[in-house]
Amino acid sequence: MIVILLKKFQKRRHQAAHGYMLHATGKGGLDVIFGGQKYATFKFKLPTTSTTTTTQPTMQDLLHLIVKNLLVDKKDRCMFVVPVSGIEIDNEAQNVENGGVKDGVKEDGEDGDEEEEVTVTPGILVLVNDTDWELEGELEYVLEDGDLISFTSTLHGG
Amino acid sequence: MSLDELSKEQLIEKLKLLELENNSLKEQVGKTYGIDNHDNNPQLQQYQHQQQSFNSLLSSEEYRRYGRQMQVPEIGISTQRKLKQSKIGIVDGDTVDVTNLHRQVLHNTETVGMLKCESAKRNLLKLNPNVEIQTYPDLISNDNAFKIISQYDYVLDCTDNPATRYLINDVSVLCGKTIISGSGVKTDGQLCVLNFHNIGPCYRCFYPSPPPANSITSCADGGVVGSCIGLVGIMMATETLKVISGFYSGDNFKPYLGLYSGFGPNQSLRTFKMRGKSNKCKVCCAETRQITKEVIEKGDLDYHTWCGSVDYNVLKPDERIDVQNLKKIIDTEKETKTGFLLLDVRPKEQFEISSIPNTRNIPYAKLKKCKTLEDVLPDYDDVPVYVICRFGRDSQLSVRFLKDQLGLKNVWDVKGGVNKWASDVDGEFFVYW
């Protein structure tokens, strides 16, 4: 399971929030997609996609961000990306330090190549706080300060 | 229940019952001689009704046996009577294996080799001889699922693969049965109640399509901790009690998914609020239903094909060697010292349990993420490479990958893995599967 905690952060005090701090923890299988790191903190400005009417970042933005910047291995993209147009996103991430805060704010998330459908593949459950994301609007869900987003895979053994 | 075990109350009931039975039998005898042609014999009906309530009566021994839980307000004597009336069916075509014992506590060392359903019945009856248990020594399938499931009110899904879970779901939904579903692997577990009285969401509402076959971890592959999966089973029992007792109702039941984690910083059970019934569901939504009893029984829906499987058959015969050959290579090496590399691609934990001497371990999961041969074997000096795993499946995928993606030419798969090695070459190899 990967759990991502979102915290708003500001560049300076009294300024409007600049982006979100992502505190990610992973365990039990899914953590391997972030290079097997158990805990990591990322600092990113969440981009907003052109398709979204609201200026607030949504779940779709978060998934784009994960796909573009956080996945260590391109092969893991199939967990989040359902190919529609087949555009390869240039993944130059892997600049995250284990357990540390990545300096600087990533700004390159805005050039969005949104032809591709970024969502999750069958077998992955997305939970917003304590709720199935389907009840929260799935990709349209507007992220809030303090949200806990979990990705977990369904289990079949017994 | 023998007569001398009965309380006075029960004896009077029994007497009344026999009286009724006697009367109805007299009437039936009359019927055969054409004296009475009533189809709806009120006395027979009364007898059947009384018989049913008699079955729910507890013996004096049972008052004590169940006393501690009957005192609990959530259970009470009414739920206990419902339990007393109920019958258990166990479906399993498998036999008890010694690898099951660490978690499947219904079986024990003495019952290894016995049919699991019989072993379970035997041990349950030792625990409580008053329970009625029916066994079905078959794997649940398209052919028998309706016949079995339709006879019961609740279904506990304790199976271990997506195909069977979808089958049980579809048949239970079509028969109008509530499912209590539990699963787990390693130290984690999941729990939910599906198709609750036909108003709750079903497995397909949660998971409309099956996960990719290569993403599935089974207990045999991933391992499972007995106490963790045991807790999932116990939680399923509690949910079943809540459904039987009527604790859950149409008003208070909310779809949920419980995630148990045994080895977090603390043990935890997080409960997530889940989506309701889907209005696009192919089985539980009447308007969009495509899966019917006919479709299933005719075999038009092959669950195992639909859920897919990984194709391990990716090598040509000359890309594989058998374990005897490997043995020869190892023995010759001692004299010639020409060098070779034996690569074991099992997960690290399994490799640490037992392995062939002088083997290098690079788990397949790690191997397939490598981008260059350098990443896999930094010190590679052109010697032949032989790849081995547990049963010879991942090793084939590894050889294909090493050849096609990383350009290694000198590489062969060892057929049948260490399983074959243990059975045909080295009888002292520790077999943990």
Side-chain angles (χ1 to χ4, degrees):
Chain A
M1 180 192 268
I2 302 167
V3 182
I4 293 177
L5 171 66
L6 299 174
K7 290 298 280 181
K8 268 192 178 150
F9 78 94
Q10 296 146 312
K11 254 187 174 169
R12 287 190 199 86
R13 277 209 304 170
H14 311 302
Q15 253 189 2
H18 193 70
Y20 280 100
M21 197 87 132
L22 274 62
H23 301 272
T25 57
K27 74 169 281 285
L30 283 185
D31 57 315
V32 298
I33 70 160
F34 287 160
Q37 298 180 100
K38 294 286 177 199
Y39 303 95
T41 302
F42 313 99
K43 197 173 179 183
F44 283 119
K45 180 171 186 259
L46 277 170
T48 47
T49 60
S50 51
T51 50
T52 330
T53 47
T54 167
T55 50
Q56 290 291 316
T58 62
M59 183 66 94
Q60 177 133 47
D61 298 319
L62 179 67
L63 292 183
H64 272 284
L65 188 138
I66 291 174
V67 169
K68 287 194 69 165
N69 300 304
L70 304 188
L71 293 186
V72 169
D73 195 301
K74 276 188 190 177
K75 293 193 187 85
D76 292 321
R77 294 172 77 257
C78 63
M79 249 174 60
F80 292 99
V81 182
V82 179
V84 174
S85 59
I87 290 176
E88 258 314 301
I89 293 177
D90 180 28
N91 181 345
E92 22 108 27
Q94 190 36 357
N95 41 14
V96 176
E97 273 161 48
N98 198 355
V101 178
K102 191 195 160 311
D103 283 329
V105 174
K106 254 202 170 250
E107 303 279 13
D108 67 351
E110 285 166 349
D111 52 330
D113 20 14
E114 326 301 349
E115 309 284 326
E116 200 170 33
E117 194 187 348
V118 175
T119 181
V120 292
T121 49
I124 306 283
L125 281 171
V126 185
L127 304 159
V128 177
N129 300 318
D130 280 342
T131 306
D132 181 2
W133 77 329
E134 199 189 88
L135 295 172
E136 300 285 0
E138 295 195 10
L139 294 170
E140 274 87 58
Y141 173 74
V142 176
L143 300 170
E144 282 178 32
D145 192 18
D147 272 347
L148 208 57
I149 316 285
S150 316
F151 299 89
T152 187
S153 47
T154 52
L155 305 177
H156 308 93
Chain B
M1 216 188 291
S2 71
L3 278 178
D4 50 353
E5 273 178 18
L6 301 180
S7 64
K8 191 181 157 197
E9 183 199 9
Q10 288 173 308
L11 283 169
I12 293 170
E13 283 290 328
K14 182 96 186 169
L15 211 66
K16 280 189 196 157
L17 218 90
L18 290 171
E19 214 167 38
L20 275 166
E21 188 183 14
N22 194 21
N23 284 343
S24 80
L25 286 173
K26 274 183 195 162
E27 295 227 356
Q28 280 184 9
V29 174
K31 220 189 255 176
T32 42
Y33 289 99
I35 300 167
D36 188 349
N37 280 323
H38 276 287
D39 276 342
N40 290 328
N41 180 342
Q43 265 181 325
L44 185 65
Q45 277 181 356
Q46 198 191 345
Y47 163 68
Q48 282 165 344
H49 179 73
Q50 294 272 340
Q51 176 77 47
Q52 208 178 5
S53 70
F54 182 76
N55 285 345
S56 71
L57 288 178
L58 306 172
S59 69
S60 45
E61 184 263 339
E62 285 177 301
Y63 273 89
R64 293 207 64 221
R65 184 186 279 269
Y66 312 130
R68 296 287 160 88
Q69 76 174 24
M70 286 197 288
Q71 295 172 48
V72 178
E74 282 82 357
I75 306 290
I77 188 149
S78 59
T79 300
Q80 198 64 58
R81 287 215 169 102
K82 284 183 190 161
L83 291 173
K84 173 71 186 170
Q85 260 178 286
S86 56
K87 156 178 112 170
I88 298 171
I90 303 174
V91 193
D92 203 327
D94 203 3
T95 52
V96 181
D97 186 80
V98 74
T99 58
N100 302 139
L101 299 181
H102 79 117
R103 66 185 190 283
Q104 298 176 10
V105 293
L106 282 175
H107 316 302
N108 57 54
T109 310
E110 279 168 37
T111 64
V112 168
M114 193 186 276
L115 274 166
K116 278 186 176 176
C117 57
E118 292 304 330
S119 163
K121 179 179 178 176
R122 196 175 110 147
N123 289 300
L124 285 170
L125 289 177
K126 270 189 197 170
L127 186 65
N128 186 352
N130 307 309
V131 182
E132 191 186 339
I133 301 170
Q134 171 81 47
T135 55
Y136 303 89
D138 296 301
L139 293 174
I140 193 124
S141 67
N142 289 37
D143 302 327
N144 62 19
F146 279 95
K147 217 161 51 194
I148 298 170
I149 288 177
S150 61
Q151 300 173 52
Y152 296 85
D153 295 321
Y154 308 105
V155 179
L156 278 82
D157 185 347
C158 317
T159 58
D160 61 3
N161 63 80
T164 313
R165 287 184 184 274
Y166 278 107
L167 168 68
I168 290 175
N169 176 72
D170 294 351
V171 175
S172 302
V173 166
L174 294 171
C175 294
K177 314 296 181 187
T178 300
I179 308 161
I180 295 92
S181 175
S183 60
V185 66
K186 296 181 179 169
T187 61
D188 293 332
Q190 291 178 353
L191 171 78
C192 53
V193 176
L194 299 168
N195 194 44
F196 177 73
H197 291 335
N198 279 350
I199 53 172
C202 77
Y203 196 67
R204 273 184 199 273
C205 298
F206 282 3
Y207 316 117
S209 29
N214 60 7
S215 73
I216 294 162
T217 311
S218 70
C219 293
D221 293 339
V224 57
V225 175
S227 55
C228 294
I229 194 70
L231 195 52
V232 176
I234 293 291
M235 289 195 288
M236 287 171 75
T238 308
E239 291 307 288
T240 309
L241 270 180
K242 284 154 80 177
V243 179
I244 293 178
S245 68
F247 176 88
Y248 280 138
S249 67
D251 293 329
N252 71 8
F253 177 78
K254 298 273 181 289
Y256 73 92
L257 178 74
L259 295 187
Y260 170 73
S261 178
F263 276 65
N266 300 300
Q267 284 188 62
S268 66
L269 178 66
R270 293 178 68 197
T271 303
F272 297 97
K273 189 178 162 197
M274 294 297 285
R275 65 195 77 174
K277 222 171 155 63
S278 159
N279 55 12
K280 285 181 277 185
C281 182
K282 287 185 181 158
V283 67
C284 80
C285 175
E287 286 77 39
T288 56
R289 178 174 299 146
Q290 291 174 14
I291 298 157
T292 59
K293 182 173 179 182
E294 203 193 4
V295 168
I296 296 171
E297 290 202 320
K298 273 173 74 185
D300 292 348
L301 177 53
D302 181 332
Y303 287 88
H304 288 279
T305 311
W306 180 63
C307 287
S309 55
V310 182
D311 183 11
Y312 294 104
N313 223 347
V314 293
L315 296 181
K316 291 195 283 286
D318 63 359
E319 293 174 307
R320 313 182 68 188
I321 62 165
D322 51 33
V323 288
Q324 285 81 5
N325 274 341
L326 179 66
K327 170 84 174 127
K328 259 180 234 157
I329 291 163
I330 292 174
D331 290 345
T332 324
E333 168 68 14
K334 281 174 192 151
E335 289 146 29
T336 60
K337 306 253 189 272
T338 49
F340 74 94
L341 179 66
L342 183 55
L343 197 63
D344 190 324
V345 293
R346 287 176 296 157
K348 181 169 142 276
E349 295 75 17
Q350 296 187 28
F351 180 77
E352 283 170 357
I353 299 171
S354 51
S355 61
I356 299 171
N358 304 318
T359 310
R360 185 165 327 173
N361 178 225
I362 299 173
Y364 176 59
K366 196 176 155 193
L367 175 76
K368 67 183 175 189
K369 299 210 160 180
C370 292
K371 293 189 174 67
T372 63
L373 190 56
E374 182 102 284
D375 293 343
V376 193
L377 305 165
D379 53 350
Y380 181 63
D381 54 0
D382 262 353
V383 292
V385 178
Y386 304 99
V387 185
I388 197 162
C389 65
R390 179 155 54 153
F391 296 119
R393 292 193 289 247
D394 281 350
S395 59
Q396 293 184 62
L397 302 181
S398 301
V399 168
R400 190 78 279 141
F401 179 80
L402 285 165
K403 280 198 158 176
D404 296 357
Q405 306 296 317
L406 306 184
L408 184 66
K409 289 190 187 75
N410 243 345
V411 58
W412 291 268
D413 162 56
V414 181
K415 278 193 250 179
V418 288
N419 182 50
K420 194 85 179 140
W421 176 264
S423 67
D424 292 9
V425 175
D426 180 5
E428 285 170 18
F429 190 91
F430 292 117
V431 173
Y432 57 89
W433 52 91

